[in-house]
Every structure is written in C-alpha cells, then in structure tokens.
Amino acid sequence: MLRVWRQAGPNQPGRFVDYPATDLSPDMSFLEMLDVVNDGLTLKGEEPIAFAHDCREGICGTCSCTIDGKPHGPGRGVATCQVYLRSFKSGDTIVVEPFRARAFPVVKDLVTDRAAFDKIQQAGGFITARAGSAPEANAAPVPKADADLAMDAATCIGCGACVAACKNASAMLFVAAKVSHLGLLPQGQPERDRRVLAMVGTMDALGFGNCTNQYECSAACPKLISHDFIARMNRDYLGASLRAAFKPASVGGGGAG
C-alpha cells in the first residue's frame, strides 16, 4: 500500500491518500513503482501523482522526497531514485511526502520549489577567475589533502535532504559544502571572505533555520558529506566577519590645496 501526500497547489490544503500498489517487482526502483501506480491512476481517469525526477542515477537530486519519515527513504548514501522495493517488506504501507521546510514550498504533491538553493549559490558560489581553456594540471599546485576535501564537498547535489532532516530546516550543510569546495582551492581565494558572508547572509534571509549540531543532515545526505564542513565554514565566517568589521575605510585622493 502506498500512502501519498496529495496537494493540488502551493496554497491548497493537502492530505494523505492511500493507493494499492500491485504488479510490482522487488527489483523495481521506487520511482518505477510510482510510474506503475500513475499508469493505473491514468487508466482510471484519475490525476497522477506529481513527482520530480531527471537522471535517475543519484546525481541530480531532483527526485527528493521523504519516505517513511526519512529523506530519500531507507538506506544510507542513496537518493530516492536509488531506493529499490526490496528495501521494504511485502504488505508494508509506505508513506511518501514532500520535503518539509518553509524555504521549500510545495508546488504539487511530492514536488517542492528549491529555488532557495539557487539563490544561495548565486550569492557567492562562483569564482571570477577566467575559465577559458583548461589550464595545465600542474599550473596551480594544490595539496592533496585540500584537493581531496574539495572533491568531497563538490559531491553535494543540492537535493535538500539536509534541510528536510533538520528539525530547524537548516541549510548549513549545503552552504558549507559549497563554500568549502571553492574555499579549499587557489582559484577560490580572491572571493573567499565575500563568498562566505554573502552565502550565509542569503541563507538566513531566505528563512532557513539555525544548525542544531545534531548532524541529522550528514546522516541523511545521499553523498555522505561530513558535517565537519560546517565547522570549517563557521571558522571562515568568523574570520571574514572580523576582517570586514576592522577593514580600514578607503582614503580619497584629493589634491593639495
């Protein structure tokens, strides 16, 4: 049995609706099961369940939803599209709902608007260094430890599971991953202070909550991004705030009288 949150639109009331799920294989993915249920609804002339998906390979984060109270459902280090029906017992009632966060308003059924993440990224998740043809690999030496950490941070797919898992709907893990990815590399140094201040400020302005330091975020992350990046970002933010507060005012270049 599938118990699904149905909501016609952003400002409409929602409710859970039960649907029988039959003719399934244990080797089906969760999204394939939703396809089968939707085929049955369509044949009966009913509105199919709206859910988002794209790559179905666990690398885009589009498919994000909450399954049995857990972002992305059972398993560790997998996105919703990588969950298979063999993870459930025959006869289970599977409860599916959208990610719950004020900054992620429901569009319809299981689809949420996560444009807030785009706004945070646009606030500072970039570099101004020229990015023409690829430079020679050894032109900008990077210590291996930093390169490995930057790669770990870069695996964030922006799915929002960290927000959905946090009782305060904090986006700290997402922002920390984006800040740390560039902050660990030479190309990211010119905007390092401005980046962390702008991205954290935008995160706060968009209504995300404070970090609870209970690490539900890293536990729910499909890419297993460590909460250690939050500590790294907090250190960068504190340093950038102090430097900004004590930065001397520029002196005008007036001529002698």
Side-chain angles (χ1 to χ4, degrees), residues 210-228:
N210 294 322
C211 178
T212 63
N213 292 313
Q214 293 180 351
Y215 311 133
E216 297 101 328
C217 53
S218 53
C221 177
K223 297 303 176 184
L224 303 179
I225 294 174
S226 173
H227 47 260
D228 289 346

Side-chain angles (χ1 to χ4, degrees), residues 55-77:
C55 71
R56 300 202 178 200
E57 295 178 349
I59 58 176
C60 75
T62 307
C63 61
S64 304
C65 61
T66 300
I67 305 170
D68 287 342
K70 180 181 177 183
H72 294 302
R76 177 172 166 79

Side-chain angles (χ1 to χ4, degrees), residues 12-220:
Q12 301 296 317
R15 63 190 179 96
F16 283 105
V17 180
D18 289 350
Y19 297 102
T22 58
D23 299 324
L24 304 176
S25 163
D27 295 324
M28 279 184 177
S29 71
F30 195 84
L31 298 189
E32 288 173 326
M33 180 266 291
L34 289 177
D35 288 334
V36 171
V37 172
N38 275 346
D39 286 345
L41 292 175
T42 302
L43 289 174
K44 291 189 292 185
E46 299 181 22
E47 182 77 13
I49 301 163
F51 66 97
H53 63 91
D54 191 3
C55 71
R56 300 202 178 200
E57 295 178 349
I59 58 176
C60 75
T62 307
C63 61
S64 304
C65 61
T66 300
I67 305 170
D68 287 342
K70 180 181 177 183
H72 294 302
R76 177 172 166 79
V78 295
T80 298
C81 60
Q82 297 171 298
V83 174
Y84 289 87
L85 297 190
R86 56 178 173 265
S87 301
F88 306 93
K89 297 178 181 178
S90 178
D92 280 354
T93 296
I94 304 173
V95 181
V96 193
E97 57 189 311
F99 280 177
R100 306 291 189 181
R102 184 175 64 177
F104 292 165
V106 174
V107 177
K108 185 177 182 179
D109 295 343
L110 304 179
V111 181
T112 55
D113 181 358
R114 284 168 289 166
F117 271 8
D118 296 330
K119 294 176 182 177
I120 294 172
Q121 187 73 6
Q122 290 161 3
F126 53 83
I127 61 173
T128 56
R130 294 187 62 181
S133 59
E136 200 278 326
N138 295 318
V142 182
K144 187 177 187 306
D146 289 348
D148 289 346
L149 274 177
M151 184 61 70
D152 289 344
T155 59
C156 172
I157 58 178
C159 66
C162 51
V163 176
C166 177
K167 64 184 180 182
N168 286 351
S170 172
M172 289 285 277
L173 187 65
F174 167 78
V175 179
K178 299 304 180 182
V179 166
S180 298
H181 168 213
L182 296 177
L184 283 159
L185 298 174
Q187 297 90 335
Q189 299 313 306
E191 294 91 15
R192 184 169 180 171
D193 283 1
R194 193 198 70 80
R195 176 183 303 112
V196 69
L197 293 174
M199 294 182 78
V200 171
T202 302
M203 173 187 69
D204 292 340
L206 290 171
F208 291 99
N210 294 322
C211 178
T212 63
N213 292 313
Q214 293 180 351
Y215 311 133
E216 297 101 328
C217 53
S218 53

